[in-house]
Amino acid sequence: MEKIIHPKQLIEWKQKSLSQRLVFKKIIVVSSGTCGQASGSLQIIEALDRELEKRNLKKTIRIEISGCHGFCELEPNIIIYPEGVFYKKLKPKDIPKILDETILKDKIIPSLIYDEPRTGHKVSNQKEIPFYQKQMRLLTEKNFRINPTNIQDYIVLDGYQALAKVLFNMTSKEVIDEVEASGLRGRGGAGFPTGKKWEICRRVSSDVKYIICNADEGDPGAYMDRSLLEGNPHSVIEGMIIGAYAIGASEGYIYVRMEYPLAVRHVTIAVEQAKKVGLLGNSVLGSEFKFDIHVVQGAGAFVSGEETSLMASIEGRRAFPRQRPPFPAQEGLWGKPTNINNVETWANVPLILNKGADWYSQIGTKKSKGTKIFSLVGKINNTGLVEVPLGITLKEIIYDIGGGIKDNKKFKAVQTGGPSGGCIPADMLDLPVDYDTLTKAGSIMGSGGMIVMDEDTCMVDVARYFLNFTQEESCGKCVPCRVGTRQLADILTRITQGNGEEGDIKKLEDLSRTVKAGSLCGFGQTAPNPVLTTIRYFRDEYEAHIKEKSCPALFCKDLIVYYIEPKKCVGCLLCLKKCPVKAISGERKKVHVIDQELCIKCGACLEVCPPKVGAVSKYTGKKRDRILKKSSVERAEK
Amino acid sequence: MKIVIDGQEIHCEGEQTILEVAREKSIYIPSLCDHLRLTPFSGCRLCIVEIIGRKGYSPSCSTYVEEGMEVKTKTRGLQKLRREILELILSEHPNACLICSEKDNCDEYKSTIRKVGETTGCVLCPNNGRCELQEVVEALKIDKVRFPSVYRNFEVKKGDPFFDRNYNLCILCSRCVRVCHEVRGASTVSFVFRGSETVVGTILDKTLLDSGCQFCGACVDVCPTGALTERALKYETLPDKETTTICPLCSMGCELEIKLKDGRILSSRPSGTGAVNQGQACVKGRFLIKDLVYSPKRIHKPLIRVNKELEEVGWEEALGFVAQRLKKFKGKDIGLISSPQASCEESFLFRKFAREALKTENIDSPAHFSPLATYMEMARVNGLKPDLNFRIKDISEAKVLFLVGSEIAVSHPMIWLEVLKAVRAGAKLIVASSIESFLNRYSSLYFQIKPGSEFYLFSFLCKAFLEKEQAEDISKSDSFEPFKKSLEKLHSSQVFEFTGVREEDLKDATEFLFREESSIFLFGSGMTQSPFGSQSVSALWNLASLAGARLFPLGLENNLRGEFEIGEKFSRKGLTFDQIIGAASSGEIKALYLAGPVPEFKKAKMEFMVLQDSFRSENIKMADAVLPAATFAETDGTFINNEGRIQKFGRVVKPVGEAKPDWWIISRLAQKLGKKGFDFRTPSGIMEEMKKASPSFLNVSYPEQQKDKAAFIGQEENKEKKFLPLTFGRFLVETSKTYPFLLCVDYNLDFYRNLSLSQEIRGLKILRDSRWIKMNSKDAERLKLKEGETVVVESLSGKINGVVKISGLIPRGMAEASLLWNEEADFSVFNLFSPTPQGVHFSNVLPVKIKRGK
């Protein structure tokens, strides 16, 4: 490919590519992001390749290897275009049948299409699947059609048209005005208005300015940015070039964690390809604007996602945050004005400039515009990445898109915003999801992690889990965060072990406030959120742990017992055989008994006991005490 | 600008943090991680304040004042938050004593002393009483810690010289990490691990010794707790007196703060107000002063040789004995060696004594071998009067720095710190040396040149510049044309062959060197003592003139400049240092008076020898009289440092034993010899006379406008630009089959008078032994030598013993040894030189063979 020196050539390229593709009768898109590959998409691709070759179909049927399609629950899956047939959870052995039936004869294979878990209703077209139907996929839609290692695919879908428009028809101020008018707010968590941020950086005069794409996504269970970088890296790059033009930056960095090897690979290839065709370099698209991008890999510290420590890391120093002000827009990377945005924010930029701020600002709520990608995980039926307009209620996300709670259990809470976020209880399910409402509820939007919890989840343990994460990931620089989170985690651990003391809740609240008020960076300032929100909404669970030494969710191992109900046990020996520590005694057709002193509470007996028998139960509190007592008496008798 | 702190209106200026302003106004804000000379860290969070109009709390250490800012430092909310944060710090630090209700009485009655140990309280902490954490706990009035204690249980690191590291006491303030990186440029320690496991450590948890630490002690000085403590101070009580003096162990003269207890030195620390060092020192000033003054090698009483044995006598008898014997010799038969480590007053008096009392001009010192001497010899020959005075901060303000033949990080640590500042501010550092330098990691350009080839490098750079540029203003000088013409004989192929430098690097050098921005060239004895040192100095002079750079020699001893000035003024006619030694060995000189260092005499034919020193050396065996001299700490006087700065130092302690200051000894001896004009009672009386005798000491200059602060010795300078034509031949030191190694000899400054610091002080010996023969691991492997083994190094003229030290910095086929004047004869590199060194250098590059010793 030769260098593009005029924006017209972009259109020519697109048209030429389209005409080349006319020969293909069908396109099979294989979802092959990290989740797809983990579920076996590479074997599917291999099988497709082999079988097409065998049938001599390669000239008319095209395989497209795309990034993640979002429906992680059903990986590996494929979509066959132009019809849009969606096949889920495929095995290599399904491929010959798909080729023979669907590709050659246009017949749907009923066993491979989607069936709704609750109704059993079968849907063959991807667009009609409720999971997708209820979403508003502005950023992620292209993931269905793009091979991220081929820039041509992006060009065909009008890629870099926004850039062409910006470079040749707009001034930097106009670009910023447009972004500001769109109401776009930072998708990294804090939700600062993007246009405003750019304007601050634009106004600082300096010989050198930098922009950074923060792709150091580290929240447990969140992978929105990964899927964008893996599936559509050029949208991020295009956004960055536009941002650089608006701010007056000549160099950009994409800081991506090395734990995302596929994202690193795809974004590196994309940057190389963009350089090759003149979208990056000394003369972007033949204009006078000069811009280059470097990809930097992070070494995997959570705190590197904090902007000042991210910059320290790029500079080759330990990823320590530093006190602001000065803000990065004043003194950022190498001491120069720097604008830093999250992956998803950058990906929104071409969209806004293509379709206009007026169009964009109609989506969302008054103060939160556009769509947001969430990674929906936890005890939910449709695990996956979902893109929804801001202002949608939690209920719609969890029930309409997420398909409700697994195994028809009761919904208890949803944790948003990763370790810095908070837990929102069931009675607030009608809450519209936007920056300000979530903050008011004690949580944050964060980068878009959404962990759904059911009735079996102990909220004290959830707080313990997150605080354990933060105390391990604290950079160690400031005292409140380094020592405070450790003390918080220690107290929470103590409570879940049944050693809670009167006054612990007060202690947790006080210490949380100290950590929030005293910490240096956003990490410490938000780290106690999981503690504070769980205390706020689930105080009774804390009290149960502390006062009654009981875990209402029957989760905390030290506070529960497994018990075989004598009335229900049929003496099948299943649990007895399964028990790893031989804590269960009994004979065939006789009631089995767990020796509580030996039991390690692994739960294997509960799992293995046939549902229709249902003889194994968990107990906590007083009932637990009685069972323990009884068991020790029995043991003594023996 | 105007700001308000706690209702108090304050006028302040420029870029200052709230904390700095508050400190100036004596408004107390607790803080633990902040330090005057370091960048803000904002980690301890104790210095938080409220700023009206800003959300939350801001750390005052890193928040800069703004016009109209209103700050509150002591609200109830703040104090509560500070206390909680301090409690968190204490939860990881032994705290039993800190919060003990009886702590006020404890010191007096020791009522609770048995209740705590090192891991829980302060009683056994080496920093007890000087701990900043204690101060902050006191200020914030903490009486309990609500969090369970977490003892981190780190092993105390005791494997390094001079200080221990007990990270159980560390509060992670990062001062040590910052000072090591920001100020010292060593970056030996850093934070390792994260979260609650975060700790300060070295790479792969190696010892400091193996991590490039130079043991400057800066980290110990900034540590607010007992985590880093000087081992020698560990179980000492608190000092009862503090005073300052000037360090005599290198040519910069750092101001040291000496802590005393009952009239004895406890420790020395760099003084924060020192004009040269500003709170910094090096391993010698920081850790060796006490050991030096109280060395077991000190001579306590005068000795005279009676019946072949040295016997202790009183001063009267000793001086009488010496006077009586000296009277018997004619002036020309007497030689005297003075010391560039003694004060100006003593140097002057010693010369007056030689001339007037002994009627001899045969007096000199090792200053004769200094870069200053080589430089001034070049100047004298060519009728130049170069500028010698500079101020150390000129270096940090330079834009281009060219360093030749000196490992300044070791020999001139304070200059190194200024170089580092300059580099951090964007200056280009260019380094040329034969042995890879520590500075390499900070240099823009580094030439590893073949030993002795500086001459070609400089001349080539001149030629390359003149080929490219028209230097109009310079070419007016009469000397320019002959110089330019002389360069025609220099061929580039020769240059690349002789220097071993690549052409493209030389191109870059011309880029940097001739930027016409303020540039400073510094050269050390590594260059001047090479066999072609004189030519190199001339070539460097030309280069500096072309580049418009200031050129300064890096002297080594503390009073070298003073000694040199006095030597120039008062005795230039007699034998030189090396000639005196040669004459003493051969018997041409019959009486030798040693007040300065000389190599050990193996056999000498002289008839009478006086040793006036503070320490015993091997030469004592040949001495007929030994006069115990006081050290710098036991007298007062004046040094002139490398900058030309006049440095007054005062007496810190009483002399050890019956030792007396040199000026006293010489005055009394002169009086015994019946001379008048020697009845001095103080060094200042001597100085008065000196001023009359030499205009340099009278025309003192005060560039800082503060007469008592920075006075510089007067100098005659002549700013005429003169170029020196050069002749080019095959100036190369070459190895042969018999002598296959090139030995580079480094001038070793680890001595004070007759005391070899590295031989006497264990810590320094581990760090840098004067007897090391450094070589490449490949060469050592080939010779089947292991580190620590004894080797014999043999040159055409002699052989010495040494100890193998493997070093990655030494190129293959080369080795490095150091020249220490008062080294024992078996180890003295002096033996490798040809017996009568001519001219002003001792030739620091020698072809040698190295083999295993016995």
Side-chain angles (χ1 to χ4, degrees), chain B residues 636-848:
Chain B
D636 49 2
T638 312
F639 296 142
I640 295 171
N641 81 349
N642 207 136
E643 304 165 281
R645 188 187 297 270
I646 297 173
Q647 299 174 311
K648 296 254 179 226
F649 63 97
R651 192 171 103 150
V652 175
V653 286
K654 273 197 280 186
V656 163
E658 289 174 23
K660 293 283 182 192
D662 295 75
W663 63 266
W664 183 93
I665 301 172
I666 294 160
S667 314
R668 293 301 142 97
L669 191 55
Q671 286 169 326
K672 285 266 178 226
L673 283 163
K675 281 290 144 195
K676 282 190 182 147
F678 281 91
D679 48 350
F680 298 106
R681 291 175 174 263
T682 57
S684 52
I686 306 171
M687 184 51 99
E688 285 312 309
E689 186 172 325
M690 235 168 99
K691 280 183 184 168
K692 278 177 214 148
S694 162
S696 313
F697 289 91
L698 194 63
N699 298 335
V700 165
S701 66
Y702 300 96
E704 318 262 314
Q705 299 297 326
Q706 279 171 291
K707 295 207 168 184
D708 54 328
K709 278 256 159 99
F712 283 72
I713 184 166
Q715 58 174 2
E716 287 174 67
E717 53 173 304
N718 172 359
K719 295 224 160 132
E720 187 207 351
K721 277 208 169 163
K722 193 168 176 186
F723 293 91
L724 315 174
L726 305 165
T727 35
F728 301 94
R730 193 176 170 84
F731 300 140
L732 258 184
V733 184
E734 280 167 309
T735 52
S736 62
K737 261 194 172 165
T738 338
Y739 301 107
F741 279 96
L742 267 192
L743 183 76
C744 285
V745 178
D746 181 31
Y747 193 101
N748 190 313
L749 197 57
D750 291 339
F751 68 94
Y752 178 68
R753 306 199 68 153
N754 260 332
L755 190 74
S756 162
L757 298 172
S758 72
Q759 294 313 315
E760 286 310 312
I761 296 165
R762 208 178 143 258
L764 194 68
K765 192 179 171 76
I766 297 170
L767 183 63
R768 44 184 209 231
D769 189 336
S770 58
R771 292 174 183 177
W772 276 345
I773 304 293
K774 290 193 209 166
M775 59 201 298
N776 190 292
S777 61
K778 295 266 165 55
D779 285 332
E781 219 168 87
R782 200 162 44 81
L783 296 172
K784 298 197 171 67
L785 292 170
K786 284 197 197 103
E787 187 158 300
E789 263 185 286
T790 311
V791 282
V792 176
V793 180
E794 195 177 329
S795 75
L796 200 60
S797 312
K799 59 181 177 182
I800 59 159
N801 292 336
V803 179
V804 175
K805 172 77 183 171
I806 309 285
S807 165
L809 301 176
I810 312 287
R812 287 190 71 171
M814 278 174 64
E816 192 188 29
S818 59
L819 171 73
L820 183 72
W821 292 118
N822 34 30
E823 185 64 88
E824 280 175 31
D826 287 350
F827 295 91
S828 175
V829 174
F830 208 74
N831 295 333
L832 297 178
F833 303 137
S834 51
T836 49
Q838 291 301 313
V840 282
H841 48 73
F842 57 71
S843 177
N844 68 356
V845 194
L846 297 158
V848 295

Side-chain angles (χ1 to χ4, degrees), chain A residues 423-569:
Chain A
C423 296
I424 295 165
D427 58 10
M428 294 174 86
L429 266 183
D430 286 324
L431 214 63
V433 175
D434 63 54
Y435 290 100
D436 312 293
T437 319
L438 286 180
T439 309
K440 220 178 275 170
S443 182
I444 56 165
M445 172 90 87
S447 60
M450 206 171 253
I451 302 172
V452 178
M453 300 162 193
D454 66 5
E455 53 189 310
D456 292 344
T457 314
C458 169
M459 298 315 286
V460 184
D461 187 69
V462 167
R464 183 203 59 80
Y465 169 80
F466 279 110
L467 261 295
N468 204 40
F469 178 85
T470 40
Q471 72 113 357
E472 275 179 12
E473 289 295 340
S474 163
C475 76
K477 180 172 180 176
C478 76
V479 174
C481 177
R482 182 185 74 241
V483 194
T485 55
R486 181 211 188 125
Q487 290 285 358
L488 282 173
D490 285 355
I491 298 173
L492 289 164
T493 309
R494 198 155 49 71
I495 295 175
T496 58
Q497 286 168 344
N499 299 320
E501 292 161 9
E502 201 70 33
D504 271 352
I505 297 181
K506 172 95 181 21
K507 220 174 187 177
L508 284 173
E509 286 176 324
D510 282 354
L511 184 52
S512 293
R513 266 180 227 120
T514 304
V515 175
K516 276 178 87 103
S519 289
L520 192 159
C521 79
F523 179 85
Q525 286 160 8
T526 55
N529 280 353
V531 187
L532 290 173
T533 51
T534 48
I535 294 179
R536 177 164 158 193
Y537 298 120
F538 302 94
R539 184 180 273 270
D540 51 339
E541 279 194 43
Y542 277 87
E543 282 171 352
H545 278 76
I546 295 167
K547 289 184 187 147
E548 295 151 26
K549 311 289 174 215
S550 78
C551 176
L554 297 171
F555 182 84
C556 297
K557 272 188 184 177
D558 292 309
L559 300 180
I560 58 162
V561 286
Y562 284 85
Y563 180 65
I564 301 170
E565 311 282 356
K567 280 179 197 158
K568 289 185 183 169
C569 179

Side-chain angles (χ1 to χ4, degrees), chain A residues 89-279:
Chain A
K89 291 192 174 173
L90 296 177
K91 300 257 154 30
K93 66 174 170 46
D94 299 327
I95 302 302
K97 200 173 165 197
I98 292 172
L99 293 186
D100 294 341
E101 298 287 318
T102 314
I103 299 292
L104 292 174
K105 296 181 196 154
D106 277 332
K107 273 189 194 165
I108 304 291
I109 304 163
S111 62
L112 298 178
I113 61 173
Y114 178 72
D115 45 348
E116 247 244 281
R118 281 185 295 186
T119 57
H121 179 64
K122 291 204 171 228
V123 188
S124 69
N125 192 310
Q126 172 259 327
K127 287 204 179 328
E128 287 161 21
I129 297 172
F131 175 78
Y132 287 118
Q133 232 176 0
K134 297 273 166 65
Q135 293 187 42
M136 184 188 251
R137 296 173 65 96
L138 301 180
L139 304 174
T140 48
E141 186 65 16
K142 286 181 180 169
N143 277 22
F144 291 127
R145 304 305 300 267
I146 284 179
N147 176 351
T149 60
N150 186 356
I151 189 170
Q152 206 180 8
D153 284 14
Y154 187 64
I155 298 289
V156 165
L157 296 175
D158 289 330
Y160 292 105
Q161 292 296 347
L163 175 66
K165 183 172 151 192
V166 162
L167 282 181
F168 294 95
N169 300 320
M170 291 172 88
T171 64
S172 59
K173 185 80 182 63
E174 282 167 351
V175 176
I176 291 182
D177 288 346
E178 192 75 11
V179 174
E180 198 160 356
S182 75
L184 175 66
R185 292 171 69 176
R187 299 293 193 241
F192 193 81
T194 307
K196 213 168 165 185
K197 194 172 188 175
W198 289 12
E199 179 61 14
I200 296 170
C201 195
R202 188 184 77 91
R203 285 182 175 212
V204 183
S205 71
S206 168
D207 52 341
V208 182
K209 289 183 195 176
Y210 296 104
I211 59 165
I212 296 174
C213 169
N214 183 349
D216 190 65
E217 181 177 51
D219 290 0
Y223 43 94
M224 299 73 54
D225 297 345
R226 187 186 76 195
S227 106
L228 276 176
L229 282 182
E230 277 176 11
N232 193 358
H234 285 287
S235 66
V236 180
I237 294 169
E238 188 179 359
M240 286 178 74
I241 307 173
I242 293 170
Y245 173 76
I247 291 158
S250 55
E251 259 181 276
Y253 286 84
I254 298 175
Y255 185 89
V256 49
R257 47 185 16 224
M258 73 167 192
E259 290 96 325
Y260 283 0
L262 199 62
V264 172
R265 196 174 148 247
H266 286 180
V267 80
T268 312
I269 291 172
V271 167
E272 286 309 316
Q273 289 180 344
K275 274 182 196 167
K276 217 176 245 172
V277 300
L279 287 158

Side-chain angles (χ1 to χ4, degrees), chain A residues 300-301 318 320 323 325 471-480 482-484 486-487 507 510-511 514 517-520, chain B residues 41-45 54 57 59 62 81 84-85 88-89 91-92 146-148 150 171-172 191-196 198:
Chain A
R318 180 180 166 98
F320 263 167
Q323 188 69 38
Q471 72 113 357
E472 275 179 12
E473 289 295 340
S474 163
C475 76
K477 180 172 180 176
C478 76
V479 174
R482 182 185 74 241
V483 194
R486 181 211 188 125
Q487 290 285 358
K507 220 174 187 177
D510 282 354
L511 184 52
T514 304
S519 289
L520 192 159
Chain B
F41 185 64
S42 325
C44 77
R45 312 307 285 177
R54 281 201 198 171
Y57 304 102
S62 57
L81 191 54
E84 274 168 346
I85 293 169
L88 286 173
I89 295 177
S91 76
E92 286 190 338
R146 285 166 298 163
F147 307 107
V150 185
I171 56 166
L172 295 163
F191 283 107
V192 288
F193 304 121
R194 61 176 178 244
S196 50
T198 312

